[in-house]
Amino acid sequence: MTDSRPDPDALLDELKREELDAQRGRLKIFFGACAGVGKTYAMLAAARAKRQDGATVLVGVVETHGRKETQEQLADLDVLPPRRIAYKGHELSEFDLDAALERRPQLILMDEFAHSNAPGSRHPKRWQDVEELLAAGIDVYTSLNVQHLESLNDVVGQITGIVVRETLPDHVFDRADEVALVDLPPDELLGRLAAGKVYLPQQAERAVKNFFRKGNLLALRELALRRTADRVDAQMRAYRADQSINPVWHARERLLVCVGASAGIDKLIRSAKRLAASLDADWIAVYVETPQQRKLSEEQRARVLKGLKLAQELGAETTVLGGSELAPTLLAYARSRNASKLVLGKSARGGWSRLWRRSLASELSRRSSDVDLYVVAHEQEDAASADAKTGGSLLFEDHEHPRSRFGYLAAFVACLLTTALAGLLIPHVALANDIMIYLLVVVLVSVRYGRGPGMLASLLSVASFDFFFVPPHMSFAVSDTQYLMTFVVMLLVAAIISQLTARLRFEANISTYRERRTRALYDLGRELAGALTAAQIVDTAVGRLEPLFSAKVSLFLPNSGDEVRLAGEEHGYADVGVAQWVYDHQQPAGLGTNTLPANPALYVPLRAPMRNRGVIALLPEVTDQAFLPEQQRLLETCAAQIALALERVHYVEVAQDAIVAMESERLRNSVLSVVSHDLRTPLTTMAGLSERLCSSSMDDGQRAEIAAAIQDEALRMNKLVTNLLDMARLQSGVKLNKEWQMLDEVVGSALRAAERGLRGRELRLELAPDLPVLEYDAVLLERVLVNLLENAGKYTPPGSHITLAAWREDAEVLVSVSDDGPGLPPNMEQRAFDKFSRGAAESSTPGVGLGLAICRSIVEIHGGRISARNRAPHGAEFRFSLPAGHAPALPTEETP
């Protein structure tokens, strides 16, 4: 009997998933076989309908390709202006993600889902832009052709002879909330193509000769229909699981073949393959391990593994299940996968065994009325195979069967000791209590050593009780017939207890194995999530997988030329040539595979959504034994996690490089702007003034005035060059020349240096009388004060008041320069100290935006901090701090 109650962990995960989905936008894909079927037109029509319902609709990207009908649908929709990106001397138009996020419409249209963005964009792919929009809660409509799906890319290339470079990971397509199939028969599509409704006449003529051949269109249409049907089938199975629906829905044929350890397994699998092909159905090969089938012989174990491998080669999905009973476990899995047909081999039992035990086919027929059964005849297993040496479990590593052999001896000794104990207690207790003691021993032996020793303990307990404690003693004869019922009941109870205990022990072993597997995946995923470099990922993978699989683990990572190299510790078994083949072909090789099966190690590709990220190699401790199916599935899951972590680190590095490149480009442009404008302007002015100065028609007063102007421009240019040099010197590292001195001294020299920039402004000094002696570099601190004062004079009108104040606060001395001018622009308080950052008046105010950046660098290397803020009702204040410290004691004069 199976438990039909929903799994509470699954329900909790479902609630969490629904909560996250409620915060995300919804993605709808208009899916078609090829261009021209009307995906964009259907998307625009659906968007217009949403707008009529009151939703705000924004067109992010729509490619009309000159189609009149599509342009008419686009006519009155709000279109987002594209972002211009300069690339190799050309200006490219791309989707403006930041502008879309700022406008936050309810629905945005993004045509050509698999499009590759131009270099310099935030994301390399458009589907990544869509992911960010969905995360912001914006619904997205998009379009996609079947040839752009990653899993079908090679199939489409073989059919059409054209390789599509822009692809979309299948998991992105599968996560879409809705997929609308836009279909058009090939003849009608070719008619649209001939009428010029798809491409221009010259393009249409080339398309008909190449891609748009009728055979190609038929094949692409079938692929699109099948892929849509697969998605609908997955949604239907998910719905059945969410609603706990057990009966099979015959919406699509799916075939389940039950694999056993009999000799006719190959015939069974091939028959199931032919049946699946005739029904055009998916098929799954399943081996169910029960307590009765746990101890397989070596021959049977190899036979099952070979059969599952054959099924996988023939296109089946394979899995190994564990359960207490074969029929309920098989039916529960068939219903969970919505399998409508079940194929199994004919029962090999005959004679008396059929009288007391039903065949699997009979049991399945009795339990289910919604699954069709197909029974395939197979060869009878010979006695030699049945009596072969005991092997082990196929579901998990079994380390207990050697101990179970010792259990028979333990069962005999336990019964002997129990008999001795019962003999000591017989004068004091009734015979019924002795029976309880024997039953307790049966339970303990069954828990410890399994069913076989438990059954032996049951028989020995009944025999000992009869021989030693039932009159006549020391004989198996029974004087009172009522004891016969006692023996029968005792034997049955002991046998049932042994059976139930062994079954619980088996299920506990399965639960322990699965818990260990889940814990291993959790630990691996947690550590990989925290890894920041590829080296950390390699260390984590090796450290976690070696004890999990009892094998030596190596990772091969590709370089820029797609040549794999061993990462981490060198192992003698690691073959770079095999790893390169696995990386290039994205197929496993080595132990247990069809490629280089003699190799002692198993090589598995690290496939990530975007590309192959490397190869993982495992050398098991038992080199002649292949990995079990469950171990192979676990290895594939671990490899997928490692590949995702490597891809994440790769794109983090790409993003960092892009940020550095963008910042370098911005700084380069800023420096060029300084050189081309702020330095060239004073040079041009000085050239013009010097030319006038050479004129003989000027009097002495005019010459003096021009000379003063030339001096002002020369000083201005000198200041610009000084700031550039100071910034370069600070970034390359500067050694401070600190001395203990009063702040008043540097304030006086700074006022004299900034006198020209403060003309027409009223300066106020508010220096606290209790200022301590400070340790600072006088030259650099003077530069800070001069830059702050000149900055205040530059951005305030004549007649403004500028205040220089200093006071002590706890262990710091605070210095501020404030004014009553227009103040800082909005959100400029922090950006004011960035290099080449200037205020709102930068178009008319000279400067390069380095003065405040220099101030911040100097203050920070002195151990202080600097900030800016607006004052009420108007004006700005720049404040920095210096540590007060403890001045050394002055030396005392020695008296003679």
Short mmCIF file of all heavy atoms in Angstrom, two decimals, residues 321-369:
data_model
loop_
_atom_site.label_atom_id
_atom_site.label_comp_id
_atom_site.label_asym_id
_atom_site.label_seq_id
_atom_site.Cartn_x
_atom_site.Cartn_y
_atom_site.Cartn_z
N LEU A 321 14.89 2.61 -9.11
CA LEU A 321 14.02 2.97 -7.99
C LEU A 321 14.21 1.98 -6.86
O LEU A 321 14.62 0.84 -7.07
CB LEU A 321 12.56 2.98 -8.43
CG LEU A 321 12.19 3.86 -9.63
CD1 LEU A 321 10.73 3.66 -9.99
CD2 LEU A 321 12.47 5.33 -9.32
N GLY A 322 13.87 2.42 -5.67
CA GLY A 322 13.88 1.55 -4.51
C GLY A 322 12.52 1.55 -3.85
O GLY A 322 11.90 2.60 -3.70
N GLY A 323 12.04 0.38 -3.44
CA GLY A 323 10.74 0.30 -2.79
C GLY A 323 10.57 -1.02 -2.09
O GLY A 323 11.28 -1.99 -2.36
N SER A 324 9.61 -1.06 -1.18
CA SER A 324 9.38 -2.29 -0.42
C SER A 324 8.67 -3.34 -1.24
O SER A 324 8.85 -4.53 -1.03
CB SER A 324 8.57 -1.96 0.84
OG SER A 324 7.34 -1.34 0.50
N GLU A 325 7.80 -2.89 -2.21
CA GLU A 325 7.08 -3.83 -3.06
C GLU A 325 7.23 -3.38 -4.50
O GLU A 325 7.22 -2.18 -4.81
CB GLU A 325 5.61 -3.90 -2.67
CG GLU A 325 5.37 -4.46 -1.27
CD GLU A 325 3.89 -4.58 -0.96
OE1 GLU A 325 3.11 -4.90 -1.88
OE2 GLU A 325 3.52 -4.34 0.20
N LEU A 326 7.30 -4.37 -5.39
CA LEU A 326 7.59 -4.08 -6.79
C LEU A 326 6.41 -3.41 -7.49
O LEU A 326 6.55 -2.35 -8.11
CB LEU A 326 7.97 -5.38 -7.52
CG LEU A 326 8.30 -5.26 -9.02
CD1 LEU A 326 9.42 -4.27 -9.25
CD2 LEU A 326 8.65 -6.62 -9.59
N ALA A 327 5.23 -3.99 -7.43
CA ALA A 327 4.08 -3.49 -8.18
C ALA A 327 3.67 -2.08 -7.75
O ALA A 327 3.50 -1.19 -8.60
CB ALA A 327 2.91 -4.46 -8.06
N PRO A 328 3.48 -1.80 -6.45
CA PRO A 328 3.09 -0.43 -6.07
C PRO A 328 4.14 0.61 -6.45
O PRO A 328 3.78 1.71 -6.89
CB PRO A 328 2.92 -0.52 -4.55
CG PRO A 328 2.70 -1.96 -4.26
CD PRO A 328 3.49 -2.70 -5.29
N THR A 329 5.41 0.28 -6.29
CA THR A 329 6.46 1.23 -6.65
C THR A 329 6.45 1.53 -8.14
O THR A 329 6.57 2.68 -8.57
CB THR A 329 7.83 0.69 -6.23
OG1 THR A 329 7.82 0.40 -4.83
CG2 THR A 329 8.92 1.71 -6.52
N LEU A 330 6.28 0.48 -8.93
CA LEU A 330 6.27 0.64 -10.38
C LEU A 330 5.06 1.46 -10.84
O LEU A 330 5.19 2.37 -11.67
CB LEU A 330 6.25 -0.74 -11.05
CG LEU A 330 6.62 -0.82 -12.53
CD1 LEU A 330 8.02 -0.28 -12.77
CD2 LEU A 330 6.52 -2.26 -13.01
N LEU A 331 3.90 1.19 -10.28
CA LEU A 331 2.69 1.93 -10.66
C LEU A 331 2.76 3.39 -10.21
O LEU A 331 2.34 4.30 -10.94
CB LEU A 331 1.46 1.26 -10.06
CG LEU A 331 0.93 0.03 -10.78
CD1 LEU A 331 -0.23 -0.59 -10.02
CD2 LEU A 331 0.51 0.38 -12.20
N ALA A 332 3.30 3.63 -9.03
CA ALA A 332 3.42 5.02 -8.54
C ALA A 332 4.33 5.84 -9.46
O ALA A 332 4.02 7.00 -9.78
CB ALA A 332 3.95 5.02 -7.11
N TYR A 333 5.42 5.23 -9.90
CA TYR A 333 6.33 5.96 -10.80
C TYR A 333 5.69 6.16 -12.16
O TYR A 333 5.83 7.22 -12.78
CB TYR A 333 7.65 5.20 -10.93
CG TYR A 333 8.67 5.94 -11.75
CD1 TYR A 333 9.35 7.03 -11.23
CD2 TYR A 333 8.96 5.55 -13.06
CE1 TYR A 333 10.29 7.72 -11.97
CE2 TYR A 333 9.89 6.23 -13.82
CZ TYR A 333 10.56 7.31 -13.26
OH TYR A 333 11.48 8.00 -14.01
N ALA A 334 4.97 5.14 -12.66
CA ALA A 334 4.30 5.27 -13.95
C ALA A 334 3.28 6.40 -13.92
O ALA A 334 3.16 7.19 -14.87
CB ALA A 334 3.62 3.95 -14.33
N ARG A 335 2.54 6.53 -12.84
CA ARG A 335 1.55 7.61 -12.73
C ARG A 335 2.22 8.96 -12.58
O ARG A 335 1.72 9.96 -13.10
CB ARG A 335 0.63 7.32 -11.56
CG ARG A 335 -0.36 6.19 -11.85
CD ARG A 335 -1.06 5.70 -10.61
NE ARG A 335 -2.05 4.66 -10.94
CZ ARG A 335 -2.48 3.74 -10.09
NH1 ARG A 335 -1.96 3.70 -8.86
NH2 ARG A 335 -3.38 2.87 -10.46
N SER A 336 3.33 9.01 -11.86
CA SER A 336 4.02 10.29 -11.70
C SER A 336 4.57 10.79 -13.04
O SER A 336 4.66 12.00 -13.26
CB SER A 336 5.16 10.17 -10.68
OG SER A 336 6.20 9.34 -11.18
N ARG A 337 4.94 9.87 -13.94
CA ARG A 337 5.45 10.26 -15.26
C ARG A 337 4.36 10.22 -16.33
O ARG A 337 4.64 10.44 -17.50
CB ARG A 337 6.59 9.33 -15.66
CG ARG A 337 7.80 9.36 -14.74
CD ARG A 337 8.40 10.76 -14.65
NE ARG A 337 8.76 11.26 -15.95
CZ ARG A 337 9.94 11.05 -16.53
NH1 ARG A 337 10.87 10.38 -15.88
NH2 ARG A 337 10.20 11.56 -17.73
N ASN A 338 3.12 9.94 -15.90
CA ASN A 338 1.98 9.87 -16.83
C ASN A 338 2.24 8.87 -17.95
O ASN A 338 1.95 9.12 -19.13
CB ASN A 338 1.67 11.25 -17.41
CG ASN A 338 0.26 11.34 -17.96
OD1 ASN A 338 -0.67 10.80 -17.37
ND2 ASN A 338 0.10 12.01 -19.08
N ALA A 339 2.79 7.70 -17.60
CA ALA A 339 3.05 6.64 -18.58
C ALA A 339 1.76 5.84 -18.78
O ALA A 339 1.18 5.32 -17.82
CB ALA A 339 4.17 5.73 -18.09
N SER A 340 1.32 5.73 -20.02
CA SER A 340 0.06 5.06 -20.33
C SER A 340 0.23 3.58 -20.60
O SER A 340 -0.75 2.84 -20.60
CB SER A 340 -0.60 5.73 -21.54
OG SER A 340 0.28 5.70 -22.66
N LYS A 341 1.45 3.12 -20.85
CA LYS A 341 1.68 1.71 -21.18
C LYS A 341 2.88 1.21 -20.39
O LYS A 341 3.87 1.91 -20.24
CB LYS A 341 1.93 1.54 -22.69
CG LYS A 341 0.67 1.83 -23.53
CD LYS A 341 0.96 1.71 -24.99
CE LYS A 341 -0.34 1.80 -25.81
NZ LYS A 341 -1.37 2.68 -25.29
N LEU A 342 2.75 -0.04 -19.92
CA LEU A 342 3.80 -0.64 -19.11
C LEU A 342 4.18 -1.97 -19.73
O LEU A 342 3.32 -2.84 -19.96
CB LEU A 342 3.30 -0.84 -17.67
CG LEU A 342 4.35 -0.89 -16.57
CD1 LEU A 342 3.73 -0.50 -15.24
CD2 LEU A 342 4.98 -2.24 -16.47
N VAL A 343 5.47 -2.16 -20.02
CA VAL A 343 5.98 -3.37 -20.67
C VAL A 343 6.82 -4.14 -19.65
O VAL A 343 7.69 -3.56 -18.99
CB VAL A 343 6.83 -3.02 -21.91
CG1 VAL A 343 7.34 -4.29 -22.58
CG2 VAL A 343 6.01 -2.20 -22.88
N LEU A 344 6.59 -5.44 -19.53
CA LEU A 344 7.36 -6.26 -18.61
C LEU A 344 7.54 -7.65 -19.20
O LEU A 344 6.82 -8.06 -20.12
CB LEU A 344 6.70 -6.35 -17.24
CG LEU A 344 5.28 -6.93 -17.17
CD1 LEU A 344 5.07 -7.58 -15.81
CD2 LEU A 344 4.25 -5.82 -17.35
N GLY A 345 8.53 -8.35 -18.67
CA GLY A 345 8.79 -9.70 -19.15
C GLY A 345 7.85 -10.71 -18.52
O GLY A 345 7.30 -10.50 -17.43
N LYS A 346 7.68 -11.83 -19.21
CA LYS A 346 6.84 -12.90 -18.71
C LYS A 346 7.46 -13.53 -17.48
O LYS A 346 8.67 -13.71 -17.39
CB LYS A 346 6.65 -13.96 -19.80
CG LYS A 346 5.70 -15.08 -19.42
CD LYS A 346 5.57 -16.07 -20.56
CE LYS A 346 4.63 -17.21 -20.18
NZ LYS A 346 4.49 -18.19 -21.28
N SER A 347 6.63 -13.83 -16.50
CA SER A 347 7.13 -14.41 -15.25
C SER A 347 7.80 -15.76 -15.51
O SER A 347 7.26 -16.60 -16.25
CB SER A 347 5.98 -14.57 -14.25
OG SER A 347 6.44 -15.22 -13.09
N ALA A 348 8.96 -15.95 -14.92
CA ALA A 348 9.70 -17.21 -15.09
C ALA A 348 9.31 -18.25 -14.04
O ALA A 348 9.77 -19.39 -14.08
CB ALA A 348 11.20 -16.95 -15.02
N ARG A 349 8.47 -17.86 -13.07
CA ARG A 349 8.06 -18.82 -12.02
C ARG A 349 7.03 -19.80 -12.56
O ARG A 349 6.19 -19.44 -13.39
CB ARG A 349 7.49 -18.08 -10.82
CG ARG A 349 8.49 -17.24 -10.08
CD ARG A 349 7.96 -16.92 -8.69
NE ARG A 349 6.59 -16.42 -8.74
CZ ARG A 349 6.26 -15.15 -8.86
NH1 ARG A 349 7.23 -14.24 -8.97
NH2 ARG A 349 4.99 -14.77 -8.88
N GLY A 350 7.06 -20.95 -12.08
CA GLY A 350 6.08 -21.96 -12.48
C GLY A 350 5.83 -22.94 -11.36
O GLY A 350 6.44 -22.89 -10.27
N GLY A 351 4.97 -23.90 -11.61
CA GLY A 351 4.71 -24.94 -10.62
C GLY A 351 4.03 -24.39 -9.38
O GLY A 351 3.09 -23.60 -9.43
N TRP A 352 4.54 -24.84 -8.21
CA TRP A 352 3.90 -24.52 -6.94
C TRP A 352 4.02 -23.05 -6.55
O TRP A 352 3.21 -22.54 -5.78
CB TRP A 352 4.50 -25.40 -5.83
CG TRP A 352 4.21 -26.84 -6.03
CD1 TRP A 352 5.04 -27.79 -6.52
CD2 TRP A 352 2.98 -27.50 -5.73
NE1 TRP A 352 4.44 -29.01 -6.58
CE2 TRP A 352 3.14 -28.86 -6.08
CE3 TRP A 352 1.75 -27.08 -5.20
CZ2 TRP A 352 2.14 -29.80 -5.92
CZ3 TRP A 352 0.75 -28.01 -5.03
CH2 TRP A 352 0.94 -29.34 -5.40
N SER A 353 5.05 -22.36 -7.06
CA SER A 353 5.25 -20.96 -6.62
C SER A 353 4.09 -20.07 -7.03
O SER A 353 3.79 -19.07 -6.38
CB SER A 353 6.56 -20.42 -7.20
OG SER A 353 6.51 -20.43 -8.62
N ARG A 354 3.38 -20.45 -8.12
CA ARG A 354 2.26 -19.62 -8.57
C ARG A 354 1.05 -19.77 -7.65
O ARG A 354 0.14 -18.94 -7.67
CB ARG A 354 1.87 -20.00 -9.99
CG ARG A 354 2.91 -19.62 -11.03
CD ARG A 354 2.40 -19.87 -12.43
NE ARG A 354 3.36 -19.46 -13.43
CZ ARG A 354 3.13 -19.52 -14.75
NH1 ARG A 354 1.97 -20.02 -15.19
NH2 ARG A 354 4.04 -19.11 -15.60
N LEU A 355 1.01 -20.81 -6.87
CA LEU A 355 -0.14 -21.03 -6.00
C LEU A 355 -0.15 -20.08 -4.81
O LEU A 355 -1.22 -19.71 -4.32
CB LEU A 355 -0.16 -22.49 -5.52
CG LEU A 355 -0.31 -23.55 -6.64
CD1 LEU A 355 -0.27 -24.94 -6.02
CD2 LEU A 355 -1.61 -23.34 -7.42
N TRP A 356 1.01 -19.72 -4.34
CA TRP A 356 1.05 -18.87 -3.15
C TRP A 356 1.53 -17.45 -3.43
O TRP A 356 1.52 -16.61 -2.54
CB TRP A 356 1.96 -19.52 -2.10
CG TRP A 356 3.39 -19.69 -2.54
CD1 TRP A 356 3.91 -20.74 -3.20
CD2 TRP A 356 4.46 -18.78 -2.32
NE1 TRP A 356 5.25 -20.56 -3.44
CE2 TRP A 356 5.61 -19.35 -2.89
CE3 TRP A 356 4.56 -17.53 -1.69
CZ2 TRP A 356 6.84 -18.72 -2.88
CZ3 TRP A 356 5.79 -16.91 -1.65
CH2 TRP A 356 6.92 -17.51 -2.26
N ARG A 357 1.92 -17.16 -4.68
CA ARG A 357 2.38 -15.80 -4.98
C ARG A 357 1.97 -15.42 -6.39
O ARG A 357 2.23 -16.14 -7.35
CB ARG A 357 3.91 -15.71 -4.83
CG ARG A 357 4.44 -14.30 -4.99
CD ARG A 357 5.93 -14.29 -4.75
NE ARG A 357 6.48 -12.95 -4.90
CZ ARG A 357 7.78 -12.67 -4.81
NH1 ARG A 357 8.64 -13.64 -4.56
NH2 ARG A 357 8.19 -11.44 -4.95
N ARG A 358 1.31 -14.25 -6.53
CA ARG A 358 0.89 -13.77 -7.84
C ARG A 358 2.10 -13.33 -8.67
O ARG A 358 3.11 -12.90 -8.14
CB ARG A 358 -0.05 -12.57 -7.70
CG ARG A 358 -1.44 -12.90 -7.22
CD ARG A 358 -2.32 -11.66 -7.43
NE ARG A 358 -3.68 -11.87 -6.96
CZ ARG A 358 -4.12 -11.49 -5.77
NH1 ARG A 358 -3.29 -10.87 -4.94
NH2 ARG A 358 -5.36 -11.71 -5.41
N SER A 359 1.92 -13.43 -9.99
CA SER A 359 2.95 -12.88 -10.88
C SER A 359 2.85 -11.36 -10.89
O SER A 359 1.83 -10.78 -10.47
CB SER A 359 2.76 -13.43 -12.29
OG SER A 359 1.53 -12.96 -12.84
N LEU A 360 3.90 -10.71 -11.38
CA LEU A 360 3.91 -9.25 -11.43
C LEU A 360 2.80 -8.73 -12.34
O LEU A 360 2.14 -7.74 -12.02
CB LEU A 360 5.28 -8.76 -11.92
CG LEU A 360 5.43 -7.24 -12.08
CD1 LEU A 360 5.18 -6.52 -10.77
CD2 LEU A 360 6.82 -6.90 -12.63
N ALA A 361 2.57 -9.40 -13.47
CA ALA A 361 1.52 -8.96 -14.38
C ALA A 361 0.15 -9.04 -13.71
O ALA A 361 -0.68 -8.13 -13.85
CB ALA A 361 1.55 -9.80 -15.65
N SER A 362 -0.10 -10.13 -12.97
CA SER A 362 -1.38 -10.26 -12.27
C SER A 362 -1.55 -9.19 -11.20
O SER A 362 -2.63 -8.61 -11.04
CB SER A 362 -1.49 -11.66 -11.64
OG SER A 362 -1.39 -12.67 -12.64
N GLU A 363 -0.48 -8.92 -10.48
CA GLU A 363 -0.53 -7.91 -9.43
C GLU A 363 -0.78 -6.53 -10.02
O GLU A 363 -1.57 -5.74 -9.49
CB GLU A 363 0.77 -7.94 -8.62
CG GLU A 363 0.77 -7.04 -7.40
CD GLU A 363 -0.14 -7.55 -6.30
OE1 GLU A 363 -0.55 -8.73 -6.35
OE2 GLU A 363 -0.46 -6.76 -5.41
N LEU A 364 -0.13 -6.22 -11.14
CA LEU A 364 -0.33 -4.92 -11.77
C LEU A 364 -1.75 -4.80 -12.33
O LEU A 364 -2.38 -3.74 -12.23
CB LEU A 364 0.70 -4.72 -12.89
CG LEU A 364 2.14 -4.53 -12.44
CD1 LEU A 364 3.08 -4.54 -13.65
CD2 LEU A 364 2.31 -3.22 -11.68
N SER A 365 -2.26 -5.88 -12.92
CA SER A 365 -3.63 -5.86 -13.44
C SER A 365 -4.64 -5.65 -12.32
O SER A 365 -5.65 -4.95 -12.49
CB SER A 365 -3.93 -7.17 -14.17
OG SER A 365 -3.06 -7.35 -15.26
N ARG A 366 -4.38 -6.25 -11.18
CA ARG A 366 -5.31 -6.11 -10.06
C ARG A 366 -5.29 -4.69 -9.48
O ARG A 366 -6.33 -4.16 -9.08
CB ARG A 366 -4.95 -7.12 -8.97
CG ARG A 366 -5.91 -7.14 -7.78
CD ARG A 366 -5.44 -8.14 -6.75
NE ARG A 366 -4.22 -7.73 -6.11
CZ ARG A 366 -4.17 -6.90 -5.04
NH1 ARG A 366 -5.29 -6.40 -4.55
NH2 ARG A 366 -3.02 -6.59 -4.50
N ARG A 367 -4.13 -4.06 -9.48
CA ARG A 367 -3.98 -2.76 -8.82
C ARG A 367 -4.31 -1.57 -9.72
O ARG A 367 -4.55 -0.48 -9.23
CB ARG A 367 -2.54 -2.59 -8.30
CG ARG A 367 -2.20 -3.47 -7.12
CD ARG A 367 -0.74 -3.32 -6.74
NE ARG A 367 -0.40 -4.06 -5.54
CZ ARG A 367 -0.44 -3.56 -4.31
NH1 ARG A 367 -0.83 -2.31 -4.13
NH2 ARG A 367 -0.11 -4.29 -3.26
N SER A 368 -4.28 -1.76 -11.04
CA SER A 368 -4.43 -0.61 -11.92
C SER A 368 -5.40 -0.91 -13.05
O SER A 368 -5.40 -2.01 -13.61
CB SER A 368 -3.06 -0.21 -12.50
OG SER A 368 -3.23 0.80 -13.47
N SER A 369 -6.20 0.12 -13.37
CA SER A 369 -7.11 0.02 -14.50
C SER A 369 -6.84 1.13 -15.52
O SER A 369 -7.56 1.24 -16.50
CB SER A 369 -8.56 0.11 -14.02
OG SER A 369 -8.80 1.35 -13.36
#
